[in-house]
Amino acid sequence: MANTYDLIVIGGGPGGYLAAERAAHAGLRTLLFEKNSLGGVCLNEGCIPSKALLNSAKTYEHALHANLYGVSCDNVRIDQSAVNARRAKVVRTLVSGVRAKMKGAGVTVVMKEATITGKTAEGFQVSADGQLYAGKRLIIATGSSAVVPGIPGVRENLGSFVLTNREVLELTEIPAELTVIGGGVIGLEMAAYYATVGSNVTVVEMLDHIAGATDREISTLLQKELEKKGVRFLLGHKCLSVEPGKVWVEDPSGQKSAVSADKVLLSIGRRANVEGLGLERIGVNFARTGITTDAQGRTNVPDVYAVGDVNGHHMLAHTAYREAEVAVNTILGKGDSMRYNANPAVIYTNPEIASVGRTEEECREKGIDYEVQKLSMRYSGRFVAENEGADGVCKILINKKKRNIIGVHMIGSYSGEIIWGAAEMIEMQLRVTDARQIIFPHPTVSEIIREVLWEFDD
């Protein structure tokens, strides 16, 4: 068996590769396993490739309506093959960048599937393709996979008629009819893309609203905007079965009907990748929802950590980054801790949604006494200058007694680029009077936050 490593990281997605890089830079002899491609689902099959597609759709949409801005564009069309070629190029470029980072940090990378086989005096044993490795510490960062339910017809047609987040990004032709099962982030982003480029899109959602735990007022506004683009929503509908050419659904009254479809996108959530790792061989506590961890990313087994989707806390790449930093800092003896109260989320539709902190629904459920103020995005000069005929909303929640900011929710252009500032305000527990003293650059859409802050009473 090879020399024992200070740290073995299993999984080369955002949490895994960042943990490996940080640890190696700190002087730990680090080994990283990845069975598919560096960057994980986010870089190869999720966050990045979907944004490449959505940016193409946005460019296409701008060209179609260029006359609103005094620009003439003739014969505007979108080439799905060219869009896909650019998506692939973007992914290759960024994967190459991750590979270069690992090399620069001195991380040993093994592109094989790893399994934990036990623990000896040398450390935790990990097997890959018949070879054994040992590590004094482990970080599990194996990510998540798309949930595939037992709906009749789904598994039989998976990968051909029924697509997951992976296959839907690789379509070379735009389907005339696309049915999306699930109105969460992935489903909405792909519904927005394909509706923009020419598909008739239907979203089937069991809940009475879209976008999961997003502020209800904001998600309703997004639904209306997507409906203007032709997306049809069947809310409160249960998917009964799938067969080539159609999806059978049941409405809240029990009425059954068929939705025509050339392709179906399955987007009902993701499940932590905990099976087949050998976690039970070293006694790590886990369930189907993920590996149990504390605020430092530690499992119940000393020197074993879990970061990213596999721990089931918040399945977001930027959360995985921070969890990786916390875990490595803990290994290095530096005080650090995860806090999820200011964890931002973005839905990259057009318009895009960005949120951080408490929603009104959450405040009412938890009995938090709050105040709320909101303004149209049209109070921002830059927004008006760049968004002809469009609108949006910025909504801020504060603790009624303490007067500190506890939630910010936005819909409109640049929301995703602005929300980090709101996250900092919540993280720092800034009161309204504190946040008002921040100087915002003018003209920017971010100024809408300042405008809303001044709507509160002192």
Side-chain angles (χ1 to χ4, degrees):
M1 185 162 57
N3 292 335
T4 301
Y5 288 86
D6 296 314
L7 173 66
I8 291 179
V9 181
I10 302 178
Y17 74 70
L18 188 73
E21 180 190 12
R22 294 284 194 270
H25 275 308
L28 299 183
R29 188 163 181 259
T30 303
L31 171 62
L32 172 66
F33 287 101
E34 170 53 48
K35 66 179 180 178
N36 292 320
S37 182
L38 286 174
V41 169
C42 177
L43 178 46
N44 294 277
E45 304 167 2
C47 324
I48 299 302
S50 64
K51 301 314 160 286
L53 263 64
L54 288 164
N55 186 66
S56 292
K58 188 183 294 185
T59 301
Y60 176 61
E61 200 167 17
H62 285 169
L64 286 175
H65 304 293
N67 63 299
L68 296 175
Y69 304 89
V71 178
S72 296
C73 290
D74 298 323
N75 302 317
V76 179
R77 65 185 186 89
I78 192 159
D79 183 338
Q80 183 70 2
S81 295
V83 170
N84 261 315
R86 180 177 183 274
R87 169 194 60 79
K89 183 184 73 171
V90 168
V91 170
R92 285 195 305 271
T93 299
L94 294 175
V95 169
S96 176
V98 173
R99 191 180 300 113
K101 274 193 168 187
M102 296 303 97
K103 183 177 180 181
V107 176
T108 300
V109 177
V110 175
M111 298 300 294
K112 296 177 182 177
E113 184 172 6
T115 304
I116 301 166
T117 58
K119 186 179 181 182
T120 68
E122 295 178 285
F124 297 98
Q125 283 193 340
V126 176
S127 173
D129 197 22
Q131 185 170 348
L132 285 178
Y133 303 83
K136 297 176 183 176
R137 308 168 189 85
L138 287 178
I139 291 183
I140 312 299
T142 48
S144 64
S145 301
V147 172
V148 180
I151 298 171
V154 166
R155 294 183 186 275
E156 296 88 332
N157 295 286
L158 195 62
S160 55
F161 174 58
V162 178
L163 315 174
T164 67
N165 62 289
R166 180 188 302 113
E167 295 88 12
V168 76
L169 293 169
E170 298 176 348
L171 289 178
T172 55
E173 295 182 0
I174 298 167
E177 302 274 352
L178 175 67
T179 296
V180 179
I181 302 176
V185 175
I186 296 171
L188 292 174
E189 290 184 350
M190 290 299 95
Y193 173 77
Y194 282 101
T196 299
V197 300
S199 297
N200 291 319
V201 178
T202 301
V203 176
V204 180
E205 170 56 57
M206 285 189 66
L207 300 176
D208 63 357
H209 62 278
I210 63 171
T214 302
D215 179 273
R216 198 67 52 83
E217 181 180 8
I218 299 295
S219 65
T220 299
L221 289 172
L222 176 61
Q223 179 180 332
K224 291 178 179 177
E225 289 298 319
L226 292 178
E227 286 173 340
K228 291 177 185 177
K229 298 180 179 184
V231 179
R232 180 170 67 128
F233 290 92
L234 300 180
L235 302 182
H237 281 61
K238 179 181 179 181
C239 181
L240 300 175
S241 65
V242 170
E243 59 186 77
K246 63 183 66 174
V247 176
W248 287 94
V249 300
E250 181 179 273
D251 70 14
S253 69
Q255 185 72 32
K256 299 176 178 61
S257 61
V259 180
S260 61
D262 295 302
K263 294 289 183 182
V264 172
L265 169 60
L266 185 65
S267 180
I268 62 170
R270 300 189 65 80
R271 179 174 293 129
N273 292 330
V274 293
E275 302 295 336
L277 294 175
L279 296 172
E280 65 282 351
R281 296 190 182 110
I282 56 173
V284 172
N285 290 338
F286 68 96
R288 293 182 69 190
T289 53
I291 297 173
T292 305
T293 58
D294 65 10
Q296 283 70 43
R298 296 176 294 209
T299 69
N300 63 299
V301 176
D303 296 319
V304 180
Y305 300 74
V307 304
D309 287 9
V310 75
N311 66 31
H313 284 299
H314 287 69
M315 292 188 175
L316 296 166
H318 48 272
T319 309
Y321 284 143
R322 180 65 187 130
E323 288 174 340
E325 291 172 342
V326 168
V328 172
N329 282 340
T330 302
I331 289 171
L332 297 173
K334 301 177 181 178
D336 206 349
S337 179
M338 275 303 300
R339 297 178 297 280
Y340 296 100
N341 63 304
N343 195 48
V346 183
I347 302 178
Y348 296 88
T349 46
N350 185 20
E352 62 188 37
I353 281 179
S355 304
V356 64
R358 306 284 191 183
T359 64
E360 287 199 73
E361 293 76 27
E362 187 180 7
C363 286
R364 288 193 290 265
E365 179 184 336
K366 295 182 180 296
I368 299 172
D369 197 8
Y370 72 98
E371 287 184 26
V372 60
Q373 292 291 345
K374 58 190 175 185
L375 283 175
S376 162
M377 284 286 202
R378 295 184 66 81
Y379 276 78
S380 159
R382 184 177 182 186
F383 184 90
V384 174
E386 296 186 3
N387 294 272
E388 181 64 32
D391 202 352
V393 169
C394 177
K395 179 177 185 177
I396 297 179
L397 282 66
I398 67 169
N399 182 294
K400 192 171 185 177
K401 182 178 180 180
K402 298 180 180 178
R403 313 303 291 172
N404 62 300
I405 299 163
I406 59 174
V408 178
H409 309 279
M410 310 172 72
I411 178 170
S413 59
Y414 301 107
S415 293
E417 298 295 333
I418 296 168
I419 202 65
W420 75 269
E424 184 176 18
M425 291 177 183
I426 294 172
E427 181 71 30
M428 301 301 293
Q429 300 184 38
L430 294 188
R431 298 167 299 171
V432 171
T433 51
D434 301 322
R436 283 175 181 167
Q437 297 175 28
I438 297 172
I439 300 174
F440 288 79
H442 176 79
T444 60
V445 180
S446 67
E447 288 177 286
I448 192 65
I449 292 179
R450 183 177 184 275
E451 295 294 334
V452 177
L453 289 171
W454 280 98
E455 292 296 303
F456 288 100
D457 295 330
D458 290 334

